Amino acid sequence: MNFFKLVFKSLMQHRLSTVVTVLSLSLASGLMLTVWILQVQSRQVFAESNSGFDAVLGARGSSLQLVLNSVFHMEQSPGNIDWQDYLDISADPRIKRAIPIAVGDNLYGYRIVGTTTNIFRNAGPGGEKGFEVEKGRAFQPNRREAVLGSFVASQVRGLGVGSTFQPYHGLRFDENEKHEEQYVVTGILKPTNSPADRAVWIPLEGVQNMEGHAAAERDRISAVLLNLHSPAVGQMLNIQYNRQGNRLTFAFPIAAIVADLFNKVSWLDRLLQGIAMLVGLVATASVLASVYNSMNERRRDIAIMRALGARKSTIFGLILWECGLIGLIGGLLGFAVYFGLMATGAAILREKTGIVLSLGYLHISMFWTPFLMTVASLCAGLLPAFKAYRSPVAENLLPIA
Amino acid sequence: MVILKVENIKKSYRTPDGGRQEILDIPLLEIEDDDHVAIRGASGSGKTTFLNIIAGIVKPDSGSVFLHDTEVTSLRESRRDRFRAANIGYIFQTFNLIQGLTALENVALGAWFGSGNSVARSREMLERVGLGNRLHYYPRALSVGQQQRVAVARALVNKPRLVIADEPTGNLDPDFAREAMTLIREQCTTEKAELLLVSHDPRILDQFETVIPFESINRAFKPSPVTA
């Protein structure tokens, strides 16, 4: 017999309340971990997910909307710009790579992006950052060919290299809005873990000339994705387009603009954190209630141990360790809850944005959450431990009538 | 040689009406080495409180208890606990086994509080009381007689100087009671422990050479009025 065996035996003797308490703590711990890590990691991954571009040039309006539309393939386009604007900026020697894009159609909800072949790896200047075609080949300009993002290829059943599809008009899927044109899939991109994975890439002319699109917009594009020779160029173009000009928006740097989005919804983060903390508090209170309530049925065992020579401090420590162990096990089992919730959250985020969150992401909260649960449970155990400490021996040893 | 000396012990309890009722007033009791002593007393006469004071579980209002050279009543509570674990074995009427522990663990628990962790000694004690094949049984799976044997093994596992038994056969039928009493006395003799037993059962008391009527040592004892 030793102290820890006694703690373990006592937990096993009250296994139902132990299991329920451990489960509630693990749920709380898992929820706290998920809220913190999802928030931190998604902020970080979104800020880093620029699909390989430094800046975006688009119609006058919100930089955030421009970035969300052209880089993350979300939101409506803030408007179109002239082809000449693309020609002007692509001719600027400070620009390393300029890629025009046009949007307006979808395939089962996945955005169809019209662009040039420069977007692919080693195709044109700055092409080393381009998307790599893993299967098949890139589309050819002026042909009804398409390259699928890896996520689209994995999600749309029956769609692979050589298969055909008809785009749907608009950015939201409506089966009544099917275009007449038929496209052949010529390639599938290597996964980038970025929003590019959930887009369908076709020649720019394809979107511009798609049946049903406004004729007046045929020489216009949605935005230009840019790589700059240096960050200083970004500052200069920022002044040139955003302060001195009034027709176009130059969104730079992309990470800062995305961070601004997260700052705008930081109240939601705080709300979720508050809820998680509250759940943690309730779970800790359940340790107190569970162990405190069990004191009545344990007073005889405690009295027996005291009669056998156990010191008050031993009994106090025994109860405290039980609570601490419940907290530690709950905190560690919280990782199972965390991985479950995180896997679900990551799948939803990938489905909605193409952003891939890592389940192996390490964060300091992974260390202090189990620690916090253990310490909180220890604190919750103080009251029942004190009750056990004060428990009278002689009265509790009397034969039960 | 006197191994247990009780001197001027007084103990009273608060009554529901706010007064105090004295239940123990024992001027002197001495128990010699190699003695097995029985105390005879009626229910409610304060025998259990008396045993609890000797064991250091309850502190008297005044007076002293000496076990060998140690004045138990003058020790701080934590030292009393340690002293009790190492020197006194206690057998209760209801055995008081911990239901969540096996027979072996119940005995080992007593050993752990007293002499340290000695599973081998606990096993040996259980084998000696005839429960070598029931080591891993929980109390609920043991008969009443077997539970009593576990309690005896637990009381003696630390080689105590004194074994206190409070109505140890009160829950057993007469045949088992006699057998259990024989076992307790045998084991105390083997372990060279003195035995102080309280009982009101004449069949048990008959087995002892020394029987002390509790009312003869307790001046606070007042017989209940006989009702017609």
Side-chain angles (χ1 to χ4, degrees):
Chain A
M1 184 59 65
N2 60 55
F3 187 83
F4 294 104
K5 187 171 183 184
L6 202 55
V7 171
F8 175 74
K9 279 281 179 177
S10 179
L11 288 174
M12 290 303 289
Q13 200 175 346
H14 310 97
R15 60 174 73 84
L16 182 63
S17 66
T18 301
V19 167
V20 170
T21 317
V22 162
L23 283 181
S24 73
L25 281 171
S26 63
L27 277 174
S29 173
L31 194 63
M32 288 204 286
L33 279 170
T34 307
V35 167
W36 270 303
I37 296 176
L38 195 63
Q39 174 202 335
V40 171
Q41 198 186 173
S42 58
R43 179 182 278 252
Q44 184 184 328
V45 173
F46 263 91
E48 289 169 355
S49 282
N50 51 20
S51 296
F53 297 100
D54 304 322
V56 183
L57 183 69
R60 194 70 175 175
S62 152
S63 297
L64 179 60
Q65 190 184 356
L66 183 59
V67 168
L68 287 177
N69 179 61
S70 51
V71 178
F72 289 91
H73 309 303
M74 300 161 79
E75 279 273 3
Q76 296 291 322
S77 165
N80 289 338
I81 61 174
D82 293 333
W83 180 249
Q84 188 58 45
D85 294 320
Y86 161 67
L87 294 178
D88 290 344
I89 198 156
S90 61
D92 191 321
R94 296 170 298 181
I95 300 295
K96 195 172 180 183
R97 184 167 73 137
I99 294 171
I101 60 166
V103 297
D105 296 304
N106 77 88
L107 175 63
Y108 307 125
Y110 296 106
R111 191 165 290 197
I112 292 175
V113 184
T115 187
T116 62
T117 52
N118 282 0
I119 202 157
F120 300 115
R121 179 159 292 188
N122 300 326
E128 72 279 0
K129 283 191 170 181
F131 302 142
E132 189 176 341
V133 179
E134 191 175 54
K135 283 184 191 166
R137 59 168 174 82
F139 59 71
Q140 289 185 6
N142 292 316
R143 295 183 72 165
R144 286 182 181 163
E145 293 181 344
V147 172
L148 305 179
S150 60
F151 188 70
V152 178
S154 69
Q155 295 297 304
V156 182
R157 196 171 290 174
L159 206 57
V161 174
S163 57
T164 60
F165 67 87
Q166 287 172 268
Y168 292 82
H169 184 64
L171 298 180
R172 288 172 194 274
F173 174 61
D174 179 351
E175 58 184 347
N176 299 316
E177 294 285 339
K178 194 187 261 186
H179 284 296
E180 291 298 321
E181 290 88 340
Q182 204 156 50
Y183 280 79
V184 179
V185 177
T186 60
I188 295 169
L189 291 183
K190 187 177 180 181
T192 61
N193 291 341
S194 77
D197 294 345
R198 52 191 302 281
V200 177
W201 306 87
I202 66 170
L204 188 65
E205 303 81 6
V207 173
Q208 289 175 321
N209 299 324
M210 195 84 72
E211 168 262 333
H213 285 190
E217 297 296 316
R218 285 194 176 149
D219 285 333
R220 290 164 69 82
I221 54 174
S222 302
V224 185
L225 303 172
L226 299 164
N227 285 112
L228 312 175
H229 279 294
S230 76
V233 172
Q235 301 301 337
M236 286 187 270
L237 292 174
N238 183 34
I239 295 168
Q240 180 184 328
Y241 284 104
N242 297 338
R243 296 195 194 163
Q244 295 171 350
N246 59 5
R247 209 170 52 77
L248 298 171
T249 295
F250 179 75
F252 172 85
I254 291 174
I257 292 164
V258 173
D260 190 42
L261 166 69
F262 279 93
N263 290 338
K264 281 178 182 162
V265 295
S266 62
W267 62 270
L268 184 64
D269 292 341
R270 285 196 296 275
L271 180 70
L272 288 174
Q273 281 176 11
I275 291 170
M277 290 296 278
L278 209 60
V279 172
L281 206 64
V282 171
T284 308
S286 77
V287 176
L288 168 63
S290 159
V291 179
Y292 192 84
N293 287 339
S294 73
M295 280 300 125
N296 232 16
E297 62 184 83
R298 299 163 77 167
R299 61 200 171 120
R300 192 170 189 86
D301 286 356
I302 291 168
I304 294 169
M305 284 193 268
R306 289 294 317 283
L308 292 177
R311 276 170 282 170
K312 277 182 166 182
S313 56
T314 306
I315 301 296
F316 185 86
L318 199 66
I319 304 295
L320 217 54
W321 266 95
E322 270 186 42
C323 294
L325 208 59
I326 287 173
L328 182 66
I329 296 170
L332 293 176
L333 277 181
F335 282 101
V337 177
Y338 158 73
F339 284 119
L341 289 176
M342 195 67 178
T344 310
I348 293 170
L349 198 67
R350 189 173 184 208
E351 164 71 29
K352 299 292 177 195
T353 67
I355 297 287
V356 176
L357 297 183
S358 166
L359 289 180
Y361 185 82
L362 285 177
H363 186 256
I364 189 74
S365 63
M366 289 177 150
F367 299 97
W368 65 251
T369 302
F371 177 73
L372 184 75
M373 298 313 282
T374 308
V375 171
S377 297
L378 280 172
C379 291
L382 282 173
L383 191 62
F386 194 64
K387 189 179 183 185
Y389 181 90
R390 300 264 313 229
S391 180
V393 181
E395 289 99 287
N396 291 332
L397 284 174
L398 291 175
I400 300 163
Chain B
M1 182 189 165
V2 174
I3 66 128
L4 177 69
K5 184 178 176 185
V6 176
E7 218 171 29
N8 298 321
I9 285 290
K10 288 191 177 185
K11 181 71 183 174
S12 61
Y13 285 113
R14 192 180 292 276
T15 56
D17 58 9
R20 294 199 75 83
Q21 183 186 0
E22 191 173 54
I23 58 159
L24 289 180
D25 179 5
I26 301 173
L28 185 67
L29 173 69
E30 289 182 336
I31 293 177
E32 297 284 330
D33 208 356
D34 294 328
D35 257 1
H36 285 184
V37 175
I39 294 178
R40 183 187 65 224
S43 295
S45 59
K47 302 188 303 290
T48 300
T49 303
F50 176 56
L51 294 185
N52 282 341
I53 287 173
I54 291 173
I57 292 172
V58 171
K59 210 162 161 52
D61 298 338
S62 62
S64 307
V65 172
F66 293 88
L67 185 59
H68 282 274
D69 302 328
T70 306
E71 186 183 352
V72 181
T73 39
S74 70
L75 298 175
R76 276 183 23 235
E77 189 174 11
S78 60
R79 297 201 63 188
R80 276 207 315 274
D81 294 335
R82 261 181 288 179
F83 183 82
R84 177 168 63 253
N87 296 286
I88 298 173
Y90 209 139
I91 303 171
F92 306 91
Q93 180 182 345
T94 50
F95 321 137
N96 281 337
L97 301 180
I98 294 181
Q99 297 302 310
L101 302 181
T102 63
L104 182 62
E105 288 164 347
N106 263 288
V107 179
L109 183 69
W112 181 56
F113 289 135
S115 53
N117 196 1
S118 175
V119 175
R121 167 75 179 160
S122 306
R123 192 186 297 266
E124 177 199 329
M125 283 308 300
L126 282 168
E127 281 166 358
R128 273 179 32 196
V129 297
L131 290 176
N133 57 348
R134 296 282 190 276
L135 297 177
H136 304 294
Y137 280 47
Y138 284 91
R140 62 179 173 275
L142 297 172
S143 69
V144 174
Q146 287 169 332
Q147 289 183 40
Q148 170 69 294
R149 286 161 184 257
V150 177
V152 171
R154 185 178 65 183
L156 286 156
V157 71
N158 288 326
K159 299 181 186 289
R161 295 171 180 188
L162 176 67
V163 171
I164 294 170
D166 185 5
E167 303 275 10
T169 56
N171 278 11
L172 303 176
D173 62 41
D175 288 342
F176 278 125
R178 183 168 287 277
E179 192 184 313
M181 205 55 249
T182 305
L183 176 79
I184 291 170
R185 295 196 67 180
E186 273 175 11
Q187 293 304 322
C188 286
T189 303
T190 308
E191 293 294 326
K192 297 184 173 60
E194 307 342 310
L195 174 64
L196 177 62
L197 171 140
V198 298
S199 178
H200 64 273
D201 184 347
R203 287 166 301 186
I204 297 302
L205 295 170
D206 282 351
Q207 296 184 37
F208 284 80
E209 296 77 30
T210 311
V211 178
I212 302 170
F214 194 55
E215 55 271 26
S216 72
I217 57 168
N218 183 15
R219 293 193 303 210
F221 177 73
K222 294 180 185 68
S224 302
V226 178
T227 52

